[in-house]
C-alpha cells in the first residue's frame, strides 16, 4: 500500500479513470496520481475516513453505467468527510481489494501506530500455542535439548494434525528447503580440504538435517495452516484484532450465520470448544486457528442438519410425494450383457430407494427367476431376491416399499411366485382392499413398514382361479408401438423422438384403427392378483380418459420418451393427472449402457416415480441422490404445494415466474477450494491442478442456468476464486444447486469433484462444501469455501411476459391480473377480487421497497438482512467526540431510530427512510389480516362453481377448446388468489422477523438508549444449541 498500485476510479458520469493510489510515508493520508487536481486535493486524510465499504454498495456504483461490468468482489468504497463523500474504486483482483480494505480499516483503528501494532503483535495467541505444541512434542520425543529441535517426521505429523489434507511429502519438502537455506547461511562445506574440527562441525550439522527447530516449525506451520481468506474474514469482524472475542463472535454468528439470540455464554462455550490455545480459552478469545477450526467443523457444513431427519409432513396421500425409484434393480452394469446380482437390491435399499423392480420369468426346476427377458444377463433366483428385499426393506426408511412386479411366468410358476411372496414377506405385504369412495391413496405414515406390490390385477368379480390380462413387458411394448408407427406412417429415416411424438396420439387409437397394436395377453393367477391392491398397473390412453375412469389405486407406467413428449405437449394436464394418480416413468430401452434420464424433466410435471439406474454414476444420479437427501433420506419428498392443491395452475415448461410464488434471489460467493486432488486417471500434467468451479442451478426451465469462476493456475491446495454470482429462483421448492470443480486442460477439462444440494437444505452464511467423487464417495479433505445468502427479490419479483397477464399501473407497478373464463357468473365473483389483490400487492411492495432502499443507504447489498444493515450503520454514526449520533429505542415492537444531535444529510436520509420502512411495516401488520380474509372469502365463493363449471360453460355456449380455456382460466385465478393470500401472510411474518433483527442488532451493536428491563426478544427460529 505504501509502494502503491493502479486502481480504477468510478465516477457518477459512468466514466472510469485509471489512477495510481498509495499511502504517504507518514501513513497519514491516501494519495493518488496522475490527477488534474492540485496535490493537496488529490489526497484523503486517514483521520477523515468514516468507513471502508466492500462491494458495489454506494450510489455512485449503483447509478454507474458500468455497474454490471464491475466485479462485486473487486469493488470497494472509502466514505470520508463531514458530507460522507465516497471514493469508489475497483481493484484488478479480489485479493488486492481485500488487502486495501483490511489495511485501511487497520489504519483507521490504530492510526500511525498500525505498523508498530502489527510488528509487536505477531498473533501472540498463535505463537504461544505453537511454542507449547512444539515443547510438548519435544517432551514426548524424549528430547532434552529443545534447541536441537524435534524429529522431521514428528514435525510433519504435527502439521497434518491441524491441516490433515496437506500431503506429508509437501511438508517434508518445505522443511528441507528451509534446512538448505540454513546450511548456506552457516557456510557449510563438505570438501576434503577442511580441517578436522570443521569436518566434525559439518557432520554435526548434517545430523541435525533430520530435525526441525522451533523457528522452522512455526514458519512451515504459517505456510500450510494459514488461510488468507479466513484471516480477512476474522479481521473484518474483530475490529482488526488478531482474534474474535465473545461479542465479535456473537455479531458474526447472528449477522452472517443466520443464528438468533446468541448469548455471550454460548459464544464462550463455542470458543472453548474450538480454540486450541489455553490462553484463548481462558480469556474467551478465538484465534485464527480456532476460527478456521469452527468454519471447517460440522456446524458450518452447507447442508442444514435439520434435514438429516424426516422433517416433512408424511400424512398426505401417497400421490403427493416424489418416491425414490430404481430401474431393473438386479442389474449392476449395462442392460444387455451386464451381470445381475442381489447386491443391486441391497445397495438401492440402503440408499433409501422405495420402489424396486422385479422382472420374473419361468426358471429351471419350477423355480421363477429374476432377469431381463430380452438380454444376456444371467438370472437370479426369485426366492433369493425376495429374501434380500425382506431383510433390507426398512433398514434406511420405515416408509412403504413398492415392488414393481413384471410377471412373465406360467400359471404353475406364478403359484410358486405367490408362495415365495407370502412366505418371505409375510405380514409386511400389504393386502388391504382399496376404499372405493376415497379420492386419494393412504399416506406414507399410514403405510409404514408395509410392502406394496405393483402389478396386473384381474377385473373385479372375475370367476375362477385365473383370468386373462394384458402382459406388462415395458421394453417389448414400446418397441412394438414404435415398430407399428414406423411401418404404418413414418419415414424410414425418422428418429426415435419423431416416432414417439406420433405414438402419443397412437396411444389413444381406437381398437378398430389398423395402426392400433393390441397388447399381448397372458393368464394371471387370481391368488397372485389378490396380492396387488393399491398399485394396480393400467394402460395409459389419454388424460381425459384417465380423469373419467382411472381410480386412485391404479398406476400408469410411461416410457421415458412418451413422458417427455406429454410433458412438452400437455404440461398442465400432466400435472393435474399426477395430483390424484401415481405415475411411473422408466428409461428408454435404447439406454443399453444403463445411462439415466434427467429426473427433473419428469419431477416438474409431478411424476412421482422416476426409475433410475442406480448403478450408473453421473449428473443425473447426483441429482436423484441429493434430492431425496432433503427429507432424512427416507425415499419420500413432498411435492411443491402448487402441484398438490386440488385447483391450481402450474405449467411444467414455464420459463417465467410462477403465479402465486414469490421469486427468491440466491447469492453465492465461491471463495476458495482446499485440497483439490488431481483428476483420477489424469497424467498429462503430473501433479499440477488448474481448478475452476461451475455453479449450476437445476429446476424448472425458468431457473436452469450455470455460472463459472476463473481458472486458478497451478494450485490445488488452496486456490482462491473470490467470485460472486446471483440467481433468480422462481420455484424454490424444485431447485437444486450443484457445485462442480474441473481441471482446466487444453486437451479437455477433467472432473475433480462435485456436490449437489436442494435449495431447501442450504444454510446461509460462510460454509464449507465437501466434494464428492464421480461415484458419490466423499473426497478426503477436499472442499469448497463459499458464502450463501437467500432473500426475497425486491418487490416480490416482476413477471415480464404476456403469459402471466400482467397489467401495469400508472406508477409503473406490476399487478398480476385475473383472467376471464367466459362464464359470466364466475367472472363476476373474480372481479370482486381486483381491489383486495391490488391492496395486497401495494402493502407488500411498499414494505419490501422501503427495506431495499434502507439497505442501500446502509451500504449493504440486496441480499443482506436487516441485522447486517444495522450493524453496518453502527460503524459510521459516531460524532466527533466518539458519541453515537443515532440510537434505537427498543421498548416498542417497532424500534425507533432517534437522533442524538445535529445530523449530516446522509444520516438524515437514513432516519427518514427508516421511518418510512417502519410505517410500511406497521401497515402490513395492521391491515394484512383483513385483506387476507377478503381474498380467501372470494376464493371460497369461486370454488362453489368448481364442480359445475363445465355445465355452466355449456350453458354459455362454450365448446371444445373454449371449455378447456375456461377451466384453465379458473385454475389460474384460484392459484393467484391463494398465492397472493399466502404472500401477504408471509409478508407479515417477514415484518416481525425484520423488527426482531433490528432490535437484536441494536443490542448487539450497543446502539440502544440505556433502559431498565430491556430484554432481548426471543425468536422462535434457529438458536445456538446449548448442548
Amino acid at each position: 500500500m505504501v509502494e502503491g498500485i493502479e486502481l480504477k476510479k468510478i465516477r457518477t458520469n459512468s466514466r472510469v479513470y485509471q489512477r495510481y493510489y498509495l499511502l504517504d510515508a507518514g501513513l497519514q493520508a491516501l494519495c493518488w496520481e496522475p490527477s488534474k487536481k492540485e496535490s493537496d486535493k488529490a489526497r484523503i486524510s486517514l483521520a477523515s475516513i468514516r468507513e471502508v465499504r466492500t462491494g458495489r454498495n454506494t450510489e455512485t456504483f449503483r447509478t454507474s453505467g458500468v455497474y454490471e461490468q464491475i466485479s462485486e468482489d473487486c469493488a470497494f468504497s472509502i466514505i470520508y468527510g463531514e458530507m460522507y463523500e465516497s471514493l469508489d474504486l475497483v481493484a484488478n483482483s479480489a485479493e488486492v481489494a481485500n488487502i486495501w480494505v483490511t489495511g485501511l480499516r487497520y489504519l483507521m483503528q490504530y492510526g500511525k501506530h498500525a505498523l508498530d501494532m502489527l510488528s509487536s503483535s505477531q498473533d501472540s495467541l498463535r505463537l504461544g500455542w505453537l511454542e507449547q505444541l512444539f515443547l510438548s512434542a519435544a517432551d514426548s520425543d524424549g528430547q532434552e535439548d529443545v534447541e536441537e529441535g524435534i524429529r522431521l517426521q514428528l514435525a510433519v505429523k504435527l502439521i497434518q494434525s491441524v491441516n490433515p489434507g496437506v500431503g506429508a511429502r509437501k511438508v517434508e519438502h518445505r522443511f528441507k528447503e528451509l534446512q538448505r537455506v540454513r546450511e548456506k547461511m552457516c557456510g557449510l562445506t563438505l570438501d576434503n580440504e577442511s580441517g578436522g574440527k570443521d569436518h566434525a562441525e559439518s557432520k554435526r550439522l548434517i545430523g541435525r538435517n533430520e530435525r526441525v527447530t522451533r523457528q522452522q516449525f512455526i514458519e512451515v506451520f504459517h505456510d500450510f495452516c494459514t488461510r488468507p481468506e479466513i484471516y480477512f474474514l476474522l479481521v473484518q469482524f474483530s475490529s482488526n484484532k488478531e482474534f474474535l472475542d465473545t461479542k465479535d463472535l456473537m455479531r458474526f454468528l447472528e449477522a452472517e450465520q443466520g443464528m438468533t439470540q446468541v448469548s455471550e455464554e454460548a459464544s464462550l462455550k463455542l470458543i472453548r470448544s474450538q480454540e486450541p490455545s489455553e490462553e484463548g480459552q481462558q480469556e474467551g478469545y478465538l484465534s485464527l486457528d480456532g476460527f478456521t477450526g469452527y468454519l471447517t467443523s460440522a456446524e458450518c457444513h452447507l447442508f442444514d442438519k435439520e434435514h438429516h431427519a424426516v422433517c416433512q409432513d408424511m400424512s398426505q396421500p401417497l400421490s403427493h410425494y416424489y418416491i425414490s425409484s430404481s430401474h431393473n434393480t438386479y442389474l449392476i452394469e449395462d442392460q444387455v450383457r451386464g451381470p445381475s446380482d442381489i447386491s443391486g437390491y441391497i445397495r438401492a435399499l440402503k440408499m433409501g430407494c422405495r420402489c424396486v423392480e422385479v422382472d420374473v420369468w419361468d426358471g429351471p426346476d419350477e423355480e421363477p427367476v429374476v432377469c431381463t427377458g430380452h438380454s444376456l444377463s444371467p438370472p437370479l433366483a426369485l426366492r433369493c431376491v425376495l429374501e434380500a428385499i425382506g431383510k433390507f426393506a426398512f433398514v434406511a426408511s420405515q416408509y412403504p416399499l413398492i415392488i414393481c412386479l413384471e410377471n412373465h411366468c406360467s400359471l404353475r410358476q406364478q403359484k410358486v411366485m405367490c408362495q415365495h411372496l407370502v412366505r418371505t414377506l409375510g405380514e409386511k405385504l400389504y393386502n388391504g382392499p382399496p376404499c372405493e369412495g376415497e379420492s386419494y391413496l393412504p399416506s406414507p405414515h399410514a403405510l409404514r413398514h408395509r410392502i406394496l406390490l405393483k402389478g396386473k390385477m384381474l377385473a373385479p368379480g372375475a370367476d375362477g382361479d385365473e383370468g386373462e390380462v394384458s402382459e406388462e413387458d415395458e421394453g417389448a411394448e414400446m418397441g412394438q408401438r414404435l415398430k407399428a408407427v414406423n411401418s404404418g406412417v413414418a419415414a424410414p429415416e425418422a428418429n426415435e423422438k419423431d416416432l414417439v411424438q406420433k405414438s402419443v396420439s397412437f396411444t389413444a387409437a381406437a381398437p378398430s384403427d389398423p395402426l392400433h397394436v393390441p397388447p399381448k395377453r397372458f393368464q394371471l393367477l387370481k391368488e397372485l392378483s389378490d396380492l396387488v391392491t393399491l398399485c394396480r398397473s393400467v394402460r395409459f390412453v389419454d388424460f381425459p380418459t384417465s380423469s373419467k375412469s382411472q381410480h386412485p389405486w391404479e398406476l400408469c407406467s410411461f416410457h421415458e420418451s412418451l413422458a417427455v413428449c406429454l410433458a412438452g405437449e400437455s404440461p398442465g394436464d400432466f400435472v393435474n393427472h399426477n395430483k390424484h394418480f401415481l405415475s411411473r416413468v422408466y428409461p428408454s430401452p435404447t439406454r443399453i449402457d444403463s445411462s439415466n434420464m434427467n429426473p427433473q424433466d419428469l419431477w416438474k410435471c409431478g411424476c412421482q416415480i422416476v426409475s433410475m439406474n442406480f448403478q450408473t454414476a453421473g449428473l443425473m444420479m447426483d441429482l436423484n441422490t441429493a434430492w431425496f437427501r432433503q427429507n432424512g433420506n427416507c425415499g419420500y419428498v413432498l411435492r411443491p404445494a402448487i402441484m398438490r392443491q386440488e385447483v391450481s395452475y402450474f405449467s411444467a415448461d414455464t420459463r417465467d415466474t410462477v403465479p402465486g410464488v414469490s421469486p427468491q434471489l440466491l447469492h453465492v460467493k465461491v471463495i476458495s477450494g482446499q485440497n483439490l486432488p488431481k483428476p483420477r486417471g489424469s497424467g498429462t500434467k503430473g501433479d499440477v491442478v488448474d481448478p475452476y468451479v461451475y455453479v449450476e442451478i437445476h429446476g424448472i426451465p425458468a431457473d436452469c442456468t450455470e455460472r463459472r469462476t476463473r481458472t486458478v493456475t497451478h494450485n490445488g491446495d488452496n486456490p482462491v476464486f473470490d467470485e460472486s454470482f446471483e440467481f433468480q429462483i422462481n420455484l424454490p421448492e424444485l431447485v437444486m444447486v450443484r457445485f462442480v470443480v474441473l481441471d482446466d486442460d487444453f486437451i479437455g477439462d477433467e472432473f475433480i469433484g462435485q456436490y449437489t444440494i436442494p435449495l431447501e437444505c442450504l444454510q446461509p452464511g460462510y460454509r464449507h462444501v465437501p466434494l464428492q467423487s464421480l461415484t458419490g464417495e466423499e473426497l478426503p479433505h477436499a472442499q469448497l469455501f463459499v458464502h450463501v445468502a437467500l432473500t426475497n427479490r425486491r418487490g416480490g419479483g416482476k413477471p415480464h411476459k404476456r403469459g402471466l397477464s400482467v397489467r401495469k399501473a400508472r406508477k409503473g407497478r406490476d399487478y398480476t391480473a385475473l383472467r376471464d373464463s367466459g362464464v359470466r357468473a364466475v367472472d363476476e365473483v373474480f372481479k370482486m377480487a381486483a381491489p383486495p389483490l391490488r391492496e395486497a400487492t401495494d402493502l407488500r411492495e411498499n414494505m419490501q421497497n422501503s427495506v431495499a432502499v434502507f439497505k442501500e443507504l446502509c451500504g449493504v447489498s440486496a441480499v443482506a438482512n436487516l441485522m447486517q444493515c444495522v450493524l453496518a450503520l453502527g460503524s459510521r454514526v459516531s460524532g466527533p467526540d466518539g458519541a453515537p449520533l443515532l440510537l434505537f429505542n427498543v421498548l416498542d415492537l417497532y424500534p425507533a431510530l432517534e437522533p442524538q444531535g445535529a445530523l449530516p444529510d446522509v444520516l438524515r436520509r437514513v432516519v427518514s427512510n427508516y421511518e418510512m420502512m417502519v410505517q410500511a411495516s406497521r401497515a402490513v401488520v395492521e391491515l394484512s389480516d383483513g385483506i387476507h380474509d377478503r381474498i380467501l372469502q372470494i376464493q371460497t365463493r369461486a370454488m362453489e362453481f368448481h364442480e359445475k363449471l363445465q355445465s355452466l360453460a355449456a350453458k354459455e355456449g362454450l365448446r371444445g377448446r373454449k371449455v378447456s380455456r375456461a377451466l384453465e382460466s379458473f385454475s389460474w385465478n384460484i392459484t393467484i388468489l391463494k398465492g397472493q393470500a399466502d404472500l401477504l401472510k408471509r409478508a407479515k411474518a417477514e415484518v416481525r422477523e425484520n423488527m426482531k433483527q433490528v432490535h437484536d442488532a441494536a443490542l448487539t451493536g450497543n446502539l440502544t438508549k440505556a433502559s431498565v428491563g430491556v430484554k432481548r426478544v426471543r425468536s422462535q427460529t434457529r438458536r445456538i444449541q446449548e448442548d
Side-chain angles (χ1 to χ4, degrees):
M1 293 172 70
V2 175
E3 293 176 357
I5 194 170
E6 280 196 347
L7 301 171
K8 293 174 184 175
K9 179 182 178 181
I10 309 299
R11 296 293 297 273
T12 50
N13 57 7
S14 298
R15 292 187 179 178
V16 180
Y17 300 91
Q18 197 87 14
R19 295 283 184 264
Y20 195 81
Y21 290 83
L22 71 163
L23 296 175
D24 69 0
L27 302 184
Q28 297 296 306
L30 172 67
C31 311
W32 59 92
E33 56 184 34
S35 173
K36 294 179 182 178
K37 296 181 180 180
E38 298 174 13
S39 59
D40 62 325
K41 292 184 178 179
R43 59 191 287 121
I44 296 174
S45 167
L46 294 184
S48 69
I49 297 179
R50 293 181 169 273
E51 178 194 359
V52 182
R53 187 180 298 176
T54 58
R56 304 166 297 175
N57 294 312
T58 63
E59 192 169 350
T60 300
F61 271 127
R62 292 190 189 99
T63 57
S64 169
V66 294
Y67 178 84
E68 295 296 335
Q69 302 165 31
I70 299 170
S71 167
E72 175 81 11
D73 307 294
C74 296
F76 65 100
S77 302
I78 299 169
I79 315 298
Y80 65 97
E82 294 296 323
M83 304 305 294
Y84 289 76
E85 298 174 78
S86 71
L87 174 63
D88 301 286
L89 303 170
V90 180
N92 291 327
S93 70
E95 185 179 5
V96 171
N98 276 334
I99 290 170
W100 275 83
V101 168
T102 305
L104 288 171
R105 286 174 174 173
Y106 213 97
L107 287 165
M108 287 172 62
Q109 181 83 8
Y110 300 111
K112 64 182 180 180
H113 303 296
L115 292 179
D116 297 333
M117 291 289 295
L118 282 170
S119 61
S120 63
S121 150
Q122 289 294 311
D123 197 353
S124 59
L125 281 180
R126 171 182 262 195
L127 284 177
W129 170 57
L130 289 180
E131 289 188 2
Q132 186 60 46
L133 191 66
F134 187 85
L135 290 173
S136 299
D139 288 343
S140 66
D141 200 29
Q143 184 67 34
E144 295 180 4
D145 186 0
V146 177
E147 295 304 318
E148 287 290 321
I150 60 176
R151 286 182 299 111
L152 176 61
Q153 293 306 317
L154 180 57
V156 171
K157 286 181 181 178
L158 283 178
I159 300 290
Q160 287 185 307
S161 68
V162 178
N163 182 4
V166 67
R169 288 175 57 192
K170 286 185 180 179
V171 181
E172 189 174 323
H173 179 72
R174 179 67 180 129
F175 276 125
K176 289 182 176 179
E177 274 186 346
L178 289 179
Q179 287 167 348
R180 281 195 293 271
V181 171
R182 186 187 67 178
E183 288 171 7
K184 289 180 182 178
M185 292 179 67
C186 293
L188 180 62
T189 58
L190 294 175
D191 58 63
N192 294 327
E193 298 177 5
S194 299
K197 183 177 179 181
D198 291 340
H199 189 66
E201 180 67 14
S202 299
K203 288 181 69 177
R204 189 177 71 82
L205 288 173
I206 292 170
R208 289 179 59 185
N209 281 351
E210 292 303 313
R211 307 195 76 79
V212 173
T213 65
R214 177 165 34 194
Q215 189 57 42
Q216 289 171 342
F217 173 72
I218 291 173
E219 186 172 342
V220 174
F221 185 93
H222 282 307
D223 289 344
F224 286 104
C225 301
T226 300
R227 288 175 51 185
E229 72 276 20
I230 293 182
Y231 172 76
F232 286 130
L233 185 60
L234 180 138
V235 296
Q236 177 186 340
F237 281 90
S238 68
S239 302
N240 302 299
K241 302 187 297 291
E242 298 292 333
F243 56 83
L244 295 169
D245 58 28
T246 52
K247 288 189 176 179
D248 296 330
L249 185 58
M250 283 171 57
R251 191 165 76 252
F252 173 76
L253 295 175
E254 291 188 338
E256 291 294 342
Q257 301 300 87
M259 297 180 178
T260 55
Q261 304 308 313
V262 182
S263 65
E264 285 198 55
E265 293 76 16
S267 291
L268 185 59
K269 183 176 180 181
L270 192 152
I271 288 172
R272 287 175 175 165
S273 68
Q274 297 292 342
E275 175 54 38
S277 70
E278 290 184 12
E279 181 187 354
Q281 292 179 23
Q282 292 168 2
E283 297 292 335
Y285 297 155
L286 191 65
S287 67
L288 177 60
D289 299 295
F291 191 43
T292 303
Y294 166 67
L295 288 174
T296 53
S297 69
E299 288 295 315
C300 290
H301 196 295
L302 183 65
F303 190 92
D304 188 344
K305 61 184 178 183
E306 290 182 6
H307 291 269
H308 286 312
V310 174
C311 54
Q312 296 178 351
D313 178 11
M314 301 303 290
S315 61
Q316 299 203 29
L318 212 59
S319 60
H320 286 185
Y321 298 85
Y322 296 114
I323 303 172
S324 179
S325 176
S326 165
H327 172 247
N328 286 354
T329 317
Y330 44 88
L331 295 179
I332 58 174
E333 288 182 16
D334 65 68
Q335 300 289 307
V336 179
R337 297 178 180 273
S340 305
D341 200 279
I342 299 293
S343 63
Y345 289 97
I346 297 172
R347 179 172 178 269
L349 292 171
K350 283 185 173 181
M351 290 175 67
C353 179
R354 294 290 83 196
C355 180
V356 296
E357 190 171 340
V358 181
D359 292 351
V360 192
W361 298 77
D362 281 351
D365 303 324
E366 296 298 322
E367 276 293 330
V369 294
V370 175
C371 64
T372 302
H374 310 283
S375 74
L376 303 176
S377 298
L380 300 173
L382 173 65
R383 176 177 48 79
C384 298
V385 169
L386 293 178
E387 286 173 355
I389 291 174
K391 183 177 179 180
F392 291 94
F394 302 105
V395 167
S397 172
Q398 63 176 334
Y399 296 105
L401 173 68
I402 300 172
I403 298 179
C404 294
L405 198 65
E406 197 170 297
N407 177 15
H408 306 281
C409 292
S410 62
L411 288 173
R412 290 180 63 179
Q413 296 213 14
Q414 285 182 42
K415 184 81 173 175
V416 178
M417 184 197 316
C418 191
Q419 291 169 355
H420 285 326
L421 285 165
V422 174
R423 187 184 306 121
T424 307
L425 304 180
E427 293 183 355
K428 297 175 187 174
L429 200 59
Y430 183 85
N431 55 12
C435 299
E436 287 291 337
E438 294 291 333
S439 300
Y440 293 98
L441 288 168
S443 70
H445 180 81
L447 295 170
R448 285 169 300 164
H449 299 290
R450 306 308 293 269
I451 295 176
L452 311 179
L453 283 188
K454 174 251 172 194
K456 288 290 184 178
M457 290 176 64
L458 295 175
D463 297 327
D465 294 334
E466 71 272 344
E468 193 176 65
V469 295
S470 60
E471 186 178 16
E472 193 172 26
D473 187 349
E474 293 168 350
E477 179 186 344
M478 194 63 195
Q480 229 185 344
R481 184 181 300 165
L482 294 176
K483 183 178 178 182
V485 174
N486 192 20
S487 61
V489 296
E493 64 273 10
N495 59 30
E496 184 193 6
K497 183 178 178 182
D498 296 331
L499 297 179
V500 170
Q501 286 176 335
K502 291 183 176 67
S503 76
V504 174
S505 55
F506 182 59
T507 305
S512 57
D513 193 312
L515 293 180
H516 178 72
V517 178
K520 291 182 180 179
R521 311 286 294 179
F522 82 109
Q523 292 296 113
L524 177 64
L525 190 71
K526 186 176 187 304
E527 190 178 352
L528 184 59
S529 171
D530 291 342
L531 295 180
V532 178
T533 55
L534 298 183
C535 294
R536 177 189 180 186
S537 292
V538 295
R539 186 181 176 91
F540 176 75
V541 178
D542 54 34
F543 291 125
T545 302
S546 293
S547 178
K548 290 177 184 175
S549 60
Q550 190 170 334
H551 297 100
W553 59 87
E554 294 177 332
L555 178 155
C556 293
S557 289
F558 297 88
H559 176 279
E560 170 194 347
S561 300
L562 176 59
V564 170
C565 199
L566 290 171
E569 293 189 356
S570 309
D573 292 335
F574 213 167
V575 171
N576 288 330
H577 172 87
N578 289 325
K579 289 177 182 177
H580 291 273
F581 311 118
L582 287 175
S583 290
R584 174 176 168 269
V585 182
Y586 57 91
S588 166
T590 60
R591 295 184 182 272
I592 58 174
D593 59 349
S594 295
S595 59
N596 278 307
M597 54 188 156
N598 187 339
Q600 283 207 315
D601 289 343
L602 291 316
W603 289 338
K604 69 184 182 184
C605 305
C607 295
Q608 300 88 347
I609 304 173
V610 181
S611 298
M612 305 291 287
N613 290 306
F614 272 50
Q615 71 272 32
T616 305
L619 166 62
M620 305 314 171
M621 200 58 208
D622 290 342
L623 294 175
N624 190 78
T625 304
W627 183 249
F628 288 102
R629 204 181 289 136
Q630 67 182 290
N631 192 29
N633 208 32
C634 74
Y636 286 83
V637 168
L638 194 61
R639 297 189 305 158
I642 200 167
M643 293 186 182
R644 293 182 273 119
Q645 292 157 0
E646 180 69 26
V647 179
S648 63
Y649 178 89
F650 175 71
S651 175
D653 63 352
T654 182
R655 296 187 180 275
D656 221 313
T657 52
V658 178
V661 179
S662 177
Q664 303 283 299
L665 191 66
L666 173 66
H667 173 96
V668 178
K669 181 177 183 179
V670 181
I671 302 171
S672 63
Q674 290 77 46
N675 308 311
L676 304 180
K678 186 177 70 170
R680 184 175 296 178
S682 171
T684 56
K685 299 191 299 182
D687 290 331
V688 174
V689 178
D690 302 315
Y692 65 92
V693 181
Y694 263 110
V695 182
E696 303 172 349
I697 305 297
H698 296 267
I700 61 173
D703 292 333
C704 290
T705 186
E706 63 182 22
R707 300 284 297 278
R708 68 157 282 179
T709 68
R710 63 188 174 88
T711 297
V712 177
T713 57
H714 306 325
N715 188 350
D717 296 329
N718 190 33
V720 175
F721 302 100
D722 262 337
E723 291 193 52
S724 298
F725 308 113
E726 284 187 355
F727 306 95
Q728 179 173 312
I729 306 298
N730 296 287
L731 186 58
E733 291 173 283
L734 263 188
V735 162
M736 279 189 283
V737 183
R738 187 170 187 255
F739 299 88
V740 187
V741 185
L742 298 171
D743 181 18
D744 201 340
D745 192 344
F746 67 92
I747 297 175
D749 298 349
E750 295 185 272
F751 177 88
I752 293 176
Q754 68 84 31
Y755 186 76
T756 310
I757 181 172
L759 186 75
E760 301 277 313
C761 301
L762 285 177
Q763 288 204 97
Y766 289 92
R767 304 290 170 182
H768 275 89
V769 183
L771 294 176
Q772 297 175 345
S773 69
L774 201 58
T775 52
E777 291 89 11
E778 197 162 301
L779 295 170
H781 314 300
Q783 55 192 2
L784 294 176
F785 184 40
V786 301
H787 180 267
V788 173
L790 187 66
T791 185
N792 286 331
R793 178 177 155 178
R794 180 175 175 180
K798 296 182 180 180
H800 298 293
K801 296 185 180 177
R802 290 179 302 173
L804 287 183
S805 303
V806 174
R807 293 176 187 159
K808 202 166 240 187
R810 289 181 213 163
K811 294 182 181 179
R813 177 162 289 170
D814 293 323
Y815 296 94
T816 305
L818 299 178
R819 294 176 177 175
D820 290 335
S821 66
V823 179
R824 206 169 310 152
V826 176
D827 289 340
E828 288 299 322
V829 173
F830 282 130
K831 283 177 184 176
M832 298 166 56
L837 285 178
R838 192 183 184 90
E839 292 170 33
T841 302
D842 287 341
L843 270 185
R844 275 189 6 259
E845 295 207 3
N846 287 344
M847 180 271 291
Q848 290 170 347
N849 288 341
S850 66
V851 170
V853 175
F854 182 63
K855 288 179 182 180
E856 290 179 1
L857 291 175
C858 289
V860 297
S861 66
V863 295
N865 55 42
L866 281 185
M867 174 167 278
Q868 292 166 325
C869 282
V870 174
L871 292 175
L873 184 65
S875 67
R876 72 191 72 134
V877 296
S878 297
D881 58 352
L885 296 174
L886 294 172
L887 287 175
F888 286 89
N889 185 341
V890 295
L891 291 176
D892 190 20
L893 173 64
Y894 305 95
L897 185 56
E898 300 177 354
Q900 303 302 299
L903 298 178
D905 287 343
V906 172
L907 292 184
R908 279 204 296 270
R909 286 173 60 199
V910 169
V911 173
S912 173
N913 187 263
Y914 178 79
E915 290 172 351
M916 290 173 58
M917 183 182 77
V918 168
Q919 185 178 352
S921 299
R922 192 190 296 269
V924 169
V925 171
E926 293 175 354
L927 302 177
S928 61
D929 286 346
I931 298 172
H932 178 270
D933 291 345
R934 284 163 59 198
I935 292 173
L936 289 188
Q937 286 170 7
I938 294 168
Q939 181 194 352
T940 302
R941 285 189 59 183
M943 283 299 293
E944 293 173 1
F945 294 101
H946 178 232
E947 297 294 334
K948 50 187 178 182
L949 188 59
Q950 284 191 318
S951 60
L952 288 173
K955 288 180 182 178
E956 295 278 352
L958 303 182
R959 297 287 183 273
R961 179 59 189 152
K962 289 185 178 180
V963 175
S964 299
R965 197 169 296 144
L967 295 172
E968 185 179 290
S969 296
F970 182 85
S971 296
W972 167 276
N973 292 345
I974 292 295
T975 303
I976 292 295
L977 293 176
K978 176 73 168 61
Q980 292 297 316
D982 288 345
L983 289 176
L984 197 56
K985 195 172 179 181
R986 282 188 219 131
K988 183 177 179 180
E990 184 182 339
V991 165
R992 296 193 184 280
E993 180 60 28
N994 284 345
M995 292 301 107
K996 284 177 183 175
Q997 287 188 20
V998 171
H999 179 284
D1000 293 348
L1003 291 171
T1004 301
N1006 295 320
L1007 290 174
T1008 61
K1009 300 178 75 173
S1011 177
V1012 179
V1014 175
K1015 294 183 179 179
R1016 287 176 152 244
V1017 177
R1018 285 288 169 190
S1019 172
Q1020 298 301 313
T1021 56
R1022 187 179 306 158
R1023 290 188 177 89
I1024 280 274
Q1025 298 289 327
E1026 290 290 346
D1027 178 75

